[in-house]
Amino acid sequence: MSIAVSNYFQSRRNQFASRTLQVLFRANPYQALYDREAFNLELGNSPTIRTLTHELPTAYPTPSSLTAMGGAGTDQVSTTGISNGTLNPYGQDAITNGTTIKRGEVQRAWFLYQTAFKTDVVNLSDLKRAVDAAEAVSGFEKALREYITVWWSDWSRVQATAMVNNKAVVKDATTLDVSTSNTDVDFHQVAEVPGDYLNWAHLDQIYTNLCRAGVAEEYSIGTTESGMPVFPIILSPGYKQRLFRDETDKREQIKFSEMGSSALSNLKALGYDKAINGFLPIVDLFPQRYGKSTAITLVADLTYTNVIYPTVNGNAATSGRTYSNNSQYQPTARGGYAQFEVVNILPRNVFCAQFEPSGPDAFSGMKFDPQNYVGEFQWVNNKTFQGDNDLGDLGYYSTKIRVGAKPLYPQFGYTILAKCPSV
């Protein structure tokens, strides 16, 4: 059943300016930080990725831990490793009794998720009578693209937490509590609720930990003029002001990695070309925030039930529906509910987005229309036989998304929960 097009497009004439202002304000700050590729259907519905690993030394090679080869001095009288003259290889005993280095691998499965979106049905007869119909339809098409952009931004925010092993909580002015090997989408398994704001004492710890973990060259997005590896930090305007406002004298030009995603070149075009203390700040206007009407004091409350979405929908428009800012998303210092805020550190190759491929669409005699699974809206007005749309004068927009996050090196990322700044 169709609805009158006036629910979308105002039908009264001569009461509006010739051009309609379109508010498109939300972008995806994560867009350049992970790769996108087709899901290989030949691997099955739930393929497994193998991350190779191995052991490293666990103690320093002090003289007492080594086997002496004999010689002068009372501390070198052992002849354990010397040939006994019966054709044994020199030092064979030392090799036989030596430390065995173990290899290993971490296996992680992933699969695709799907969702779909559509609009109400539009009636051609009503549309022809609407004021500035072409402009209104064009504006609505832009709004649909914005909707999908926001959806992809939110998907990226969720995956930047779920696909990162290290969940860090700011305990106090100098201490981070880090829960490792944690693939939760929230913070309900951390040790405690945040007790302070994120500062450089915490970031310096994380930077050192990343370099020690081997992220420095292969997975950084580039290096500074002084040769420091650079990692992107995605943070709110409030934390950008707290951490980077007075650091102009420390900013260094970035040489982006040639091994990185081609999307990294977009960072410079967007003005992200300087790093401070090894971090490239990327502003997210809508970071995830936790809060509720009463203060969160228990770790068990750090779930998505208490994640505050930044906008709400309602009937405030003169015709149809509109969105507005969610007052609860404001920090508690400004009358909202937001008590804690998420900051992400996302080196390259932590995860990648995999889409269902658009083809094939023909199997012997079976032929199908080309499909798209990344959120591109299509106009649908298929005719029927003795049905509601025999003349093809009804239609609607529709799209579907099928995507999964493929884990690559989740042990190299950090997602941090800290007190929410006042902005």
Side-chain angles (χ1 to χ4, degrees):
M1 179 178 179
S2 68
I3 63 169
V5 76
S6 60
N7 285 355
Y8 285 139
F9 314 115
Q10 181 56 254
S11 59
R12 290 179 296 174
R13 295 183 178 276
N14 302 323
Q15 297 186 35
F16 295 92
S18 58
R19 296 189 60 83
T20 303
L21 295 178
Q22 187 73 40
V23 181
L24 301 175
F25 69 103
R26 297 177 69 171
N28 187 352
Y30 294 84
Q31 186 71 20
L33 301 181
Y34 59 83
D35 291 329
R36 289 153 291 278
E37 62 186 23
F39 184 89
N40 188 351
L41 297 176
E42 295 181 356
L43 297 178
N45 292 331
S46 182
T48 299
I49 188 170
R50 300 163 57 214
T51 302
L52 302 181
T53 184
H54 55 83
E55 292 183 331
L56 288 176
T58 58
Y60 291 100
T62 60
S64 62
S65 67
L66 305 178
T67 300
M69 299 299 296
T74 57
D75 60 339
Q76 293 183 340
V77 297
S78 171
T79 58
T80 303
I82 298 179
S83 173
N84 59 13
T86 58
L87 300 181
N88 285 341
Y90 191 86
Q92 180 64 43
D93 289 341
I95 296 175
T96 302
N97 299 322
T99 301
T100 300
I101 303 173
K102 301 288 188 180
R103 66 167 296 277
E105 61 183 55
V106 178
Q107 297 183 358
R108 300 178 180 90
W110 79 99
F111 43 88
L112 298 179
Y113 293 85
Q114 71 172 350
T115 189
F117 306 96
K118 64 179 182 178
T119 67
D120 289 318
V121 175
V122 175
N123 188 312
L124 173 62
S125 179
D126 292 334
L127 187 60
K128 290 191 296 184
R129 291 165 172 79
V131 61
D132 293 332
E135 182 182 355
V137 170
S138 176
F140 187 54
E141 290 173 343
K142 291 180 181 178
L144 293 178
R145 288 193 293 270
E146 181 190 15
Y147 190 103
I148 295 300
T149 297
V150 173
W151 189 93
W152 277 119
S153 300
D154 292 336
W155 183 87
S156 302
R157 293 181 182 98
V158 172
Q159 300 307 321
T161 299
M163 299 304 297
V164 166
N165 281 0
N166 300 301
K167 305 290 193 300
V169 171
V170 175
K171 180 178 180 180
D172 54 43
T174 59
T175 309
L176 281 172
D177 278 339
V178 182
S179 173
T180 58
S181 299
N182 183 329
T183 57
D184 295 326
V185 298
D186 53 35
F187 291 82
H188 75 277
Q189 292 189 16
V190 296
E192 56 193 309
V193 298
D196 211 333
Y197 297 97
L198 181 68
N199 61 48
W200 279 109
H202 309 117
L203 292 180
D204 289 343
Q205 295 175 43
I206 293 176
Y207 186 87
T208 302
N209 289 342
L210 287 172
C211 292
R212 286 173 174 167
V215 191
E217 296 182 5
E218 190 173 356
Y219 303 108
S220 64
I221 62 171
T223 58
T224 65
E225 297 167 313
S226 60
M228 295 176 62
V230 177
F231 308 118
I233 178 170
I234 305 96
L235 71 181
S236 68
Y239 267 118
K240 173 74 181 311
Q241 293 180 15
R242 289 182 67 93
L243 295 169
F244 292 90
R245 169 179 286 177
D246 299 323
E247 302 287 343
T248 54
D249 58 328
K250 298 181 181 179
R251 295 183 183 181
E252 294 186 82
Q253 195 76 26
I254 299 174
K255 179 182 179 182
F256 286 104
S257 172
E258 296 179 357
M259 298 185 297
S261 165
S262 59
L264 288 179
S265 60
N266 294 331
L267 290 174
K268 187 171 184 178
L270 294 172
Y272 298 118
D273 61 348
K274 295 198 172 52
I276 297 176
N277 297 336
F279 287 103
L280 171 67
I282 298 176
V283 173
D284 183 4
L285 292 175
F286 301 95
Q288 293 186 77
R289 288 176 169 177
Y290 286 75
K292 59 178 185 174
S293 58
T294 58
I296 294 178
T297 59
L298 301 175
V299 169
D301 288 331
L302 297 176
T303 67
Y304 259 85
T305 302
N306 294 317
V307 174
I308 309 169
Y309 200 75
T311 56
V312 294
N313 293 326
N315 294 313
T318 304
S319 176
R321 302 264 292 175
T322 187
Y323 64 83
S324 59
N325 292 329
N326 185 356
S327 60
Q328 296 179 7
Y329 187 76
Q330 293 293 329
T332 55
R334 299 179 61 186
Y337 289 175
Q339 189 175 349
F340 308 120
E341 187 172 280
V342 176
V343 176
N344 295 108
I345 296 175
L346 202 64
R348 292 191 302 110
N349 289 338
V350 170
F351 71 93
C352 74
Q354 289 209 326
F355 308 99
E356 180 161 326
S358 58
D361 52 24
F363 303 86
S364 187
M366 296 182 181
K367 297 184 183 297
F368 301 86
D369 291 335
Q371 301 296 304
N372 180 287
Y373 299 101
V374 296
E376 181 179 338
F377 276 94
Q378 299 181 25
W379 174 248
V380 180
N381 68 329
N382 302 324
K383 290 186 177 182
T384 59
F385 178 75
Q386 293 187 352
D388 291 338
N389 200 31
D390 289 352
L391 300 179
D393 57 355
L394 303 176
Y396 66 96
Y397 286 101
S398 177
T399 188
K400 51 193 171 184
I401 295 175
R402 292 181 181 174
V403 64
K406 177 182 178 180
L408 297 175
Y409 294 94
Q411 68 270 29
F412 290 157
Y414 276 79
T415 182
I416 307 162
L417 191 65
K419 290 182 65 175
C420 185
S422 59
V423 177

